[in-house]
């Protein structure tokens, strides 16, 4: 029987750790796929018309509060994502684990919700000149440079997986946030769509 103390002290394992080599081998000069595991992912709900909410949000995160649909703001490695009229996502590096507590403290007794979704989803990064083509093979949205640019985001379905897509680079680079239970399905679907560029 495994020692429970040893198991709890073990390093965390990402949902796609077993596919790392497959993703490396499936990537090429034209398009590459990798997992960005263990990002801090927070969901925040509040009132964008309340100066106290906006001030606490911006002062704690260093991010502008995006108020236009399907947009993001960025500062360093932190990203704020518009998800709805009173809902935002925050994505930050793993070392920002204390951000949730800082936000809760900053909001004080305001009528605000802060929820940690970090263990619910992982992140796939798809980049390279052929990423446009790969994205359009499974997404009902028109992922095209005519209507997409850095900072654009959307919640949609890629094949059969619900995803949040953010364009984070001009190359282009897309981040796809997907539930852990769908992560392998989505990664393999993307890799299949990348085969023509190998």
């Amino acid at each position: 029987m495994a020692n429970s103390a040893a198991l709890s002290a073990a390093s965390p394992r990402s949902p796609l750790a077993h596919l790392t080599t497959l993703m490396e081998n499936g990537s090429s000069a034209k398009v590459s796929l990798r997992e960005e595991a263990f990002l801090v992912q927070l969901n925040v709900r509040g009132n964008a018309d309340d100066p106290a909410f906006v001030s606490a949000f911006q002062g704690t995160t260093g991010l502008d509060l995006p108020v236009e649909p399907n947009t993001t703001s960025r500062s360093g490695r932190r990203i704020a994502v518009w998800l709805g009229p009173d809902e935002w996502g925050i994505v930050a590096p793993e070392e920002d684990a204390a951000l949730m507590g800082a936000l809760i403290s900053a909001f004080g007794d305001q009528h605000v919700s802060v929820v940690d979704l970090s263990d619910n989803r992982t992140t796939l990064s798809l980049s390279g000149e052929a990423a446009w083509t790969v994205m359009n093979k499974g997404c009902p949205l028109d992922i095209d440079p005519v209507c997409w640019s850095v900072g654009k985001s959307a919640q949609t379905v890629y094949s059969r997986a619900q995803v949040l897509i953010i364009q984070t680079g001009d190359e282009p680079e897309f981040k796809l946030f997907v539930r852990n239970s769908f992560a392998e399905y989505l990664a393999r679907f993307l890799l299949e769509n990348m085969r023509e560029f190998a």
Side-chain angles (χ1 to χ4, degrees):
M1 182 177 211
N3 182 317
S4 59
L7 287 175
S8 64
S11 298
R13 184 173 170 84
S14 75
L16 297 175
H18 63 293
L19 294 184
T20 300
T21 301
L22 188 63
M23 287 190 281
E24 288 171 356
N25 292 341
S27 296
S28 67
K30 290 193 173 182
V31 63
S32 69
L33 181 68
R34 63 186 172 84
E35 181 187 21
E36 291 185 42
F38 312 122
L39 294 178
V40 172
Q41 298 178 56
L42 306 178
N43 182 276
V44 178
R45 300 198 76 147
N47 182 359
D49 294 326
D50 181 352
F53 170 75
V54 175
S55 176
F57 182 97
Q58 294 178 338
T60 306
T61 65
L63 295 161
D64 290 332
L65 186 71
V67 292
E68 295 296 320
N70 302 318
T71 62
T72 68
S73 67
R74 188 171 190 159
S75 178
R77 294 172 61 201
R78 290 182 181 175
I79 302 172
V81 188
W82 183 95
L83 298 175
D86 66 349
E87 183 178 8
W88 296 267
I90 299 173
V91 181
E94 184 180 5
E95 55 268 24
D96 271 354
L99 184 58
M100 180 174 176
L103 274 168
I104 291 170
S105 295
F107 289 133
D109 60 0
Q110 295 182 48
H111 187 68
V112 173
S113 168
V114 183
V115 179
D116 189 345
L117 301 176
S118 305
D119 291 335
N120 183 45
R121 299 181 298 194
T122 192
T123 309
L124 285 162
S125 177
L126 182 75
S127 61
E129 63 183 74
W132 297 110
T133 302
V134 173
M135 287 296 295
N136 278 299
K137 286 184 177 185
C139 186
L141 301 178
D142 186 10
I143 309 291
D144 186 276
V146 171
C147 50
W148 275 76
S149 59
V150 173
K152 177 88 172 177
S153 67
Q155 298 175 82
T156 187
V157 173
Y158 189 94
S159 184
R160 295 179 180 174
Q162 291 181 337
V163 294
L164 167 64
I165 302 169
I166 302 174
Q167 185 178 341
T168 55
D170 283 321
E171 187 179 6
E173 179 184 49
F174 298 98
K175 291 193 190 311
L176 293 90
F177 299 85
V178 61
R179 289 181 183 173
N180 292 340
S181 57
F182 279 88
E184 180 169 353
Y185 165 80
L186 180 61
R188 290 185 182 277
F189 193 88
L190 287 164
L191 286 166
E192 181 63 28
N193 291 339
M194 291 164 55
R195 285 181 62 186
E196 69 175 285
F197 303 106

